[in-house]
């Protein structure tokens, strides 16, 4: 439930929150790149009250090549989720190392040029601000500039 939600009863909001966390906690990392893409797509809430931490932890359980491919497969969702969510996903990706980054860079090349340009803009935004601006995360994602 979001802070401005006046429709969902608090009990239902709590049930949904618990269900989301339970589902994220159940992820083993064996779900392949489609499991990564589903987790990225699920990061829609602005106020997640800590639920997204469970999804971030789940992302770390995937083989690095699946992580990179899955984030690229979820590119459309990545550019539409809240900025903190996309920044956190991109930071997790860069910190996972070369196998994840290379899989992402290779897979994103299969996307339409408009989508690649939008993801490039998102990466540049996060490199200029908080999420990818320090700690060796800047210029790690080597997507070509269009």
């Amino acid at each position: 439930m979001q802070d401005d939600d006046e429709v969902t009863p608090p009990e239902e909001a709590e049930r949904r929150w618990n269900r989301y966390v339970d589902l994220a906690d159940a992820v083993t990392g064996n779900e392949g790149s489609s499991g990564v893409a589903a987790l990225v797509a699920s990061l829609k809430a602005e106020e997640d009250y800590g639920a997204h931490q469970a999804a971030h932890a789940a992302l770390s359980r995937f083989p690095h090549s699946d992580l990179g491919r899955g984030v690229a497969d979820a590119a459309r969702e990545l550019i539409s989720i809240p900025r903190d969510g996309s920044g956190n996903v991109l930071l997790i990706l860069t910190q996972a190392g070369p196998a994840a980054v290379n899989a992402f860079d290779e897979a994103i090349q299969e996307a339409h040029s408009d989508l690649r340009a939008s993801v490039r803009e998102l990466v540049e935004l996060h490199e200029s601000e908080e999420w990818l601006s320090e700690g060796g995360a800047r210029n790690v994602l080597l997507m070509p500039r269009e």
Side-chain angles (χ1 to χ4, degrees):
M1 179 167 88
Q2 300 299 281
D3 287 339
D4 59 354
D5 183 352
E6 298 176 5
V7 177
T8 307
E11 302 81 23
E12 177 61 14
E14 182 177 357
R15 186 194 69 75
R16 290 178 187 175
W17 187 93
N18 287 331
R19 180 71 175 142
Y20 182 89
V21 171
D22 288 346
L23 288 170
D25 287 347
V27 170
T28 64
N30 295 324
E31 294 83 359
S33 60
S34 61
V36 171
L39 282 167
V40 171
S42 77
L43 300 171
K44 295 178 183 176
E46 287 281 348
E47 296 95 16
D48 64 88
Y49 306 103
H52 288 173
Q53 290 175 338
H56 299 151
L59 289 172
S60 70
R61 293 192 286 271
F62 283 87
H64 294 168
S65 59
D66 286 347
L67 176 64
R69 176 71 198 203
V71 172
D73 288 348
R76 190 161 311 284
E77 291 79 11
L78 186 67
I79 62 174
S80 68
I81 63 177
R83 296 274 184 207
D84 280 345
S86 64
N88 212 329
V89 168
L90 291 171
L91 182 61
I92 290 166
L93 174 64
T94 61
Q95 290 178 338
V101 169
N102 291 339
F104 173 82
D105 286 344
E106 290 172 13
I108 201 69
Q109 295 307 312
E110 299 170 16
H112 188 274
S113 62
D114 290 345
L115 182 56
R116 282 196 315 270
S118 294
V119 172
R120 176 82 246 161
E121 289 174 14
L122 182 66
V123 168
E124 289 172 350
L125 169 81
H126 288 304
E127 286 178 342
S128 70
E129 294 184 2
E130 179 180 352
W131 289 101
L132 302 177
S133 65
E134 53 189 57
R138 181 181 280 250
N139 296 320
V140 172
L141 299 172
L142 302 176
M143 298 172 46
R145 295 182 183 351
E146 301 288 326

